[in-house]
Amino acid sequence: AQSVTQPDIHITVSEGASLELRCNYSYGATPYLFWYVQSPGQGLQLLLKYFSGDTLVQGIKGFEAEFKRSQSSFNLRKPSVHWSDAAEYFCAVARPLTGGGNKLTFGTGTQLKVEL
Amino acid sequence: NAGVTQTPKFRILKIGQSMTLQCAQDMNHNYMYWYRQDPGMGLKLIYYSVGAGITDKGEVPNGYNVSRSTTEDFPLRLELAAPSQTSVYFCASRPGQGSGNTIYFGEGSWLTVV
């Protein structure tokens, strides 16, 4: 069975500071990994994804994530946080479903607060 | 391009009432999903569909039903609403095989059962 762990429920950073959100996964095969962001009262927006190839992936809004197989991690990073980045962030892993398609398993989310 | 559209966005139900959450996508995606999101629990898959006429249960299907009569629409039905079904519901869709694994989400439907 696959699982995703986001060990930090809440993180507070100052605007302009760097950010790293942790994500660890458990999955038997090569994972498909995702980071989503959810602003208050809004739906989920895809930040970036990893399927294969270069282990450092670039996403929207200046985010990047690095896949480390040896650590079963897919941490999200941003060099300089903006106040508008305050939101909840979800890490997810995908596995194939019977009959086709993929099932995403989500972590419980990390709430990011940005101090001005 | 509207993407994935969910209605209603907010709804309050009384215990025992029934309702349908509507979901439509205009991207001609084969795969569609319903998730619920509870605080501190992440997202859980309720039902999914790999094409018109085909549906299957996810992790938490009890108390819900779905249908997929067309490619575009994937409504979620609550027959006898219970307080445990108070949650935020997300519909999502995905292109067919060979089109990558990105899943596109609707903006969510906030449901409260009282």
Side-chain angles (χ1 to χ4, degrees):
Chain A
Q2 64 195 50
S3 64
V4 179
T5 302
Q6 293 180 245
D8 304 305
I9 298 174
H10 296 97
I11 282 185
T12 300
V13 298
S14 299
E15 188 175 38
S18 63
L19 171 70
E20 181 168 30
L21 301 182
R22 295 183 291 165
C23 173
N24 294 97
Y25 67 90
S26 172
Y27 183 51
T30 300
Y32 296 145
L33 295 160
F34 306 80
W35 274 100
Y36 287 86
V37 60
Q38 184 180 22
S39 298
Q42 301 297 315
L44 289 160
Q45 181 182 24
L46 179 68
L47 282 176
L48 48 79
K49 61 190 177 187
Y50 171 78
F51 293 158
S52 64
D54 193 347
T55 57
L56 183 64
V57 292
Q58 303 296 321
I60 61 171
K61 304 185 179 186
F63 285 93
E64 66 178 25
E66 186 171 12
F67 170 58
K68 293 185 178 180
R69 184 186 299 275
S70 61
Q71 299 177 17
S72 296
S73 69
F74 188 57
N75 294 347
L76 182 71
R77 301 194 295 247
K78 187 169 184 178
S80 178
V81 170
H82 187 263
W83 65 266
S84 61
D85 293 324
E88 191 161 18
Y89 292 80
F90 291 91
C91 181
V93 61
R95 68 169 173 84
L97 286 166
T98 302
N102 288 274
K103 176 197 167 183
L104 281 176
T105 297
F106 289 83
T108 52
T110 298
Q111 188 71 46
L112 173 65
K113 181 179 176 183
V114 179
E115 291 182 332
L116 301 176
Chain B
N1 190 342
V4 180
T5 304
Q6 291 180 233
T7 55
K9 187 151 187 174
F10 300 97
R11 183 71 187 268
I12 298 175
L13 278 182
K14 293 183 178 178
I15 295 172
Q17 285 185 321
S18 62
M19 76 159 297
T20 300
L21 297 176
Q22 301 291 344
C23 177
Q25 52 91 9
D26 61 358
M27 298 174 282
N28 201 33
H29 288 175
N30 286 326
Y31 306 125
M32 295 188 74
Y33 310 82
W34 273 106
Y35 290 88
R36 58 177 288 171
Q37 182 183 22
D38 301 307
M41 299 295 289
L43 286 151
K44 299 291 185 183
L45 182 65
I46 306 171
Y47 270 95
Y48 68 98
S49 168
V50 300
I54 306 169
T55 63
D56 209 344
K57 295 178 180 179
E59 296 174 273
V60 289
N62 292 341
Y64 306 94
N65 277 300
V66 293
S67 59
R68 186 90 183 274
S69 56
T70 66
T71 298
E72 294 77 20
D73 300 299
F74 190 42
L76 178 71
R77 178 89 179 154
L78 285 72
E79 291 293 349
L80 290 170
S84 61
Q85 293 178 304
T86 294
S87 189
V88 184
Y89 292 84
F90 287 96
C91 181
S93 72
R94 173 190 171 269
Q97 295 287 353
S99 302
N101 293 284
T102 301
I103 298 182
Y104 298 82
F105 286 86
E107 293 195 341
S109 296
W110 274 251
L111 176 65
T112 302
V113 181
V114 297

